[in-house]
């Protein structure tokens, strides 16, 4: 047997063993034994032929031994040794612990979308909270008919002299208003026409102009004497007329002490279920039970009346307010009927400025 035949013999044996079923576990014994015995018989001759034959024998239709070993490793995987070898032969891919650039781009995109969703949720929550906290008439898009309230400018409390307490502060036992009485008047709403006749000289209204608000001459005389005896200090007034024809008059009367103002409020203005002195245009005023209690201001007392039917050319609404050393009269009248909401709004806001 020649050297080429000895080399080719094992190759053909390997081909046959590789084509056998996978359950025959010992196909490699001829390959291990015969190549080691060939150099013992002819040691002088080199053996390049096996490499040449391995390269020359493969044909397009018959893959050589090297291709068969690489292409079909699966039959030997059933044995424990093959399983261990396969496990050891699978190293961790290079760069397995590093995310490729594509993964980082995806991560950044996910983070951006997550942040966008979070911002949207926060804005939506804030918007929902803002909408639920608004009055129905303040929400755009709701076809809610206006309830008739007026548009007043932002109210600002009158400045106090340095070191002077507010009228109902604990340090102010007399409940005196140290601020300028004229600065305590409610400003006219937007679109209203001011009543210049109530401005007076330097903002102070003469007592006779205040008494002119009352209809009966005897009432004017009696009330005038009461004001003198009570030590009236100042009268500040403001009035206006809105486009719908509603006329408003506000009078603030300041006395030396809160006790005097309270006496005038309790004894002169509201001793019964209707005012003691009748104002101009009012014939049959009764206590207004529909006036909302939520409009009350701490430390400020009030009595509210409205003219009941049948009334004259105008309906009159009036309120008497007591706040510390200040007594106030608020009157609204309108041809036909005086709306309730603007009157309630005016009384509540003026009470807040006095409180």
């Amino acid at each position: 047997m020649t050297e080429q035949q000895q080399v080719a013999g094992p190759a053909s044996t390997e081909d046959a063993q590789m084509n056998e079923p996978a359950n025959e576990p010992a196909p490699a014994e001829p390959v291990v034994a015969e190549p080691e015995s060939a150099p013992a018989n002819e040691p002088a001759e080199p053996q390049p032929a096996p490499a040449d034959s391995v390269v020359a024998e493969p044909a397009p239709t018959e893959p050589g031994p090297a291709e068969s070993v690489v292409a079909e490793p699966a039959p030997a995987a059933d044995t424990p040794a093959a399983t261990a070898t396969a496990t050891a032969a699978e190293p961790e891919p290079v760069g397995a612990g590093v995310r490729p650039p594509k993964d980082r781009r995806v991560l950044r995109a996910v983070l951006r979308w997550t942040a966008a969703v979070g911002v949207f949720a926060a804005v939506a929550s804030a918007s929902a909270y803002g909408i639920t906290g608004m009055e129905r008439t303040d929400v755009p898009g709701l076809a809610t008919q206006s309830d008739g309230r007026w548009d007043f400018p932002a109210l600002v409390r009158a400045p106090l002299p340095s070191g002077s307490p507010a009228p109902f502060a604990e340090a102010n036992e007399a409940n005196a208003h140290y601020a300028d009485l004229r600065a305590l008047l409610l400003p006219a709403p937007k679109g209203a026409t001011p009543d210049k006749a109530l401005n007076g000289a330097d903002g102070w209204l003469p007592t006779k102009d205040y008494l002119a608000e009352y209809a009966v001459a005897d009432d004017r005389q009696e009330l005038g004497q009461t004001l003198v005896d009570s030590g009236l200090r100042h009268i500040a007034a403001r009035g206006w007329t809105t486009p719908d024809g509603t006329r408003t008059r506000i009078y603030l009367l300041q006395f030396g002490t809160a006790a005097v103002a309270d006496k005038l409020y309790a004894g002169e203005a509201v001793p019964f279920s209707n005012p003691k002195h009748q104002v101009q245009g009012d014939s049959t005023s009764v206590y207004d039970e529909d006036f909302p209690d939520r409009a009350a201001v701490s430390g400020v007392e009030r009595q509210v009346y409205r003219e009941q039917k049948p009334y004259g050319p105008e309906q009159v609404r009036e309120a008497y307010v007591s706040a510390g050393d200040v007594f106030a009269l608020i009157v609204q009248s309108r041809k036909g009927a005086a709306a309730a909401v603007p009157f309630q709004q005016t009384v509540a806001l003026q009470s807040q400025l006095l409180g």
Side-chain angles (χ1 to χ4, degrees), residues 141-159:
L142 294 183
T144 303
Q145 186 176 3
S146 172
D147 57 1
R149 69 184 67 184
W150 291 339
D151 185 10
F152 284 92
L155 301 185
V156 179
R157 290 189 179 275

Side-chain angles (χ1 to χ4, degrees), residues 175-236:
N175 299 134
H177 288 79
Y178 293 103
D180 191 325
L181 187 66
R182 294 165 293 186
L184 296 176
L185 284 166
L186 179 66
K190 296 180 181 179
T193 302
D195 187 352
K196 297 181 180 180
L198 297 180
N199 291 343
D202 297 330
W204 300 117
L205 187 73
T207 303
K208 64 180 181 64
D209 292 345
Y210 167 71
L211 294 175
E213 187 66 46
Y214 294 91
V216 181
D218 292 343
D219 289 345
R220 291 195 295 269
Q221 183 178 358
E222 178 185 358
L223 184 56
Q225 187 61 46
T226 301
L227 296 179
V228 173
D229 297 341
S230 301
L232 175 66
R233 296 177 57 190
H234 303 290
I235 300 178

Side-chain angles (χ1 to χ4, degrees), residues 264-290:
L264 178 65
Y265 168 79
E268 293 292 331
V270 288
F272 308 108
S273 60
N274 52 7
K276 182 179 180 179
H277 303 295
Q278 180 181 342
V279 299
Q280 296 286 352
D282 182 16
S283 57
T284 56
S285 286
V286 296
Y287 183 76
D288 188 358
E289 298 180 352
D290 297 331

Side-chain angles (χ1 to χ4, degrees), residues 16-292:
Q17 290 175 351
M18 293 301 296
N19 293 328
E20 290 177 0
N23 56 4
E24 294 184 6
E29 291 180 357
V31 177
V32 176
E34 292 184 13
E36 292 180 355
S37 59
N41 296 329
E42 298 180 7
E45 295 182 4
Q47 299 180 5
D52 294 340
S53 62
V54 172
V55 175
E57 286 183 3
T61 57
E62 294 182 3
E67 292 181 0
S68 299
V69 172
V70 175
E72 297 183 7
D78 291 341
T79 63
T83 302
T85 304
T87 303
E90 293 179 359
E92 184 178 359
V94 177
V98 180
R99 293 181 180 273
K102 182 177 180 181
D103 291 343
R104 288 197 294 270
R105 290 195 297 269
V106 172
L107 177 59
R108 287 195 294 269
V110 171
L111 292 177
R112 285 197 299 269
W113 278 107
T114 303
V117 171
V119 171
F120 177 79
V123 172
S125 300
S127 301
Y129 177 81
I131 290 296
T132 56
M134 296 173 65
E135 296 290 340
R136 180 177 176 83
T137 53
D138 296 334
V139 181
L142 294 183
T144 303
Q145 186 176 3
S146 172
D147 57 1
R149 69 184 67 184
W150 291 339
D151 185 10
F152 284 92
L155 301 185
V156 179
R157 290 189 179 275
L160 292 169
S162 178
S164 299
F168 297 102
E170 293 183 1
N172 190 350
E173 296 181 357
N175 299 134
H177 288 79
Y178 293 103
D180 191 325
L181 187 66
R182 294 165 293 186
L184 296 176
L185 284 166
L186 179 66
K190 296 180 181 179
T193 302
D195 187 352
K196 297 181 180 180
L198 297 180
N199 291 343
D202 297 330
W204 300 117
L205 187 73
T207 303
K208 64 180 181 64
D209 292 345
Y210 167 71
L211 294 175
E213 187 66 46
Y214 294 91
V216 181
D218 292 343
D219 289 345
R220 291 195 295 269
Q221 183 178 358
E222 178 185 358
L223 184 56
Q225 187 61 46
T226 301
L227 296 179
V228 173
D229 297 341
S230 301
L232 175 66
R233 296 177 57 190
H234 303 290
I235 300 178
R238 178 167 290 154
W240 62 79
T241 302
T242 53
D244 67 345
T246 301
R247 295 192 305 122
T248 302
R249 287 89 70 197
I250 301 176
Y251 304 92
L252 303 183
L253 288 71
Q254 190 172 31
F255 297 89
T257 64
V260 175
D262 187 65
K263 181 179 179 180
L264 178 65
Y265 168 79
E268 293 292 331
V270 288
F272 308 108
S273 60
N274 52 7
K276 182 179 180 179
H277 303 295
Q278 180 181 342
V279 299
Q280 296 286 352
D282 182 16
S283 57
T284 56
S285 286
V286 296
Y287 183 76
D288 188 358
E289 298 180 352
D290 297 331
F291 198 91

Side-chain angles (χ1 to χ4, degrees), residues 5-17 31 34 53-54 57 65:
Q5 289 176 346
Q6 289 177 356
V7 175
S12 61
T13 306
E14 286 183 354
D15 291 343
Q17 290 175 351
V31 177
E34 292 184 13
S53 62
V54 172
E57 286 183 3

Side-chain angles (χ1 to χ4, degrees), residues 301-319:
E301 298 182 14
R302 69 168 187 269
Q303 290 290 333
V304 184
Y305 302 90
R306 60 177 176 82
E307 186 180 10
Q308 65 179 354
K309 293 181 178 182
Y311 40 78
E314 295 182 331
Q315 184 188 21
V316 178
R317 295 178 181 270
E318 54 193 295

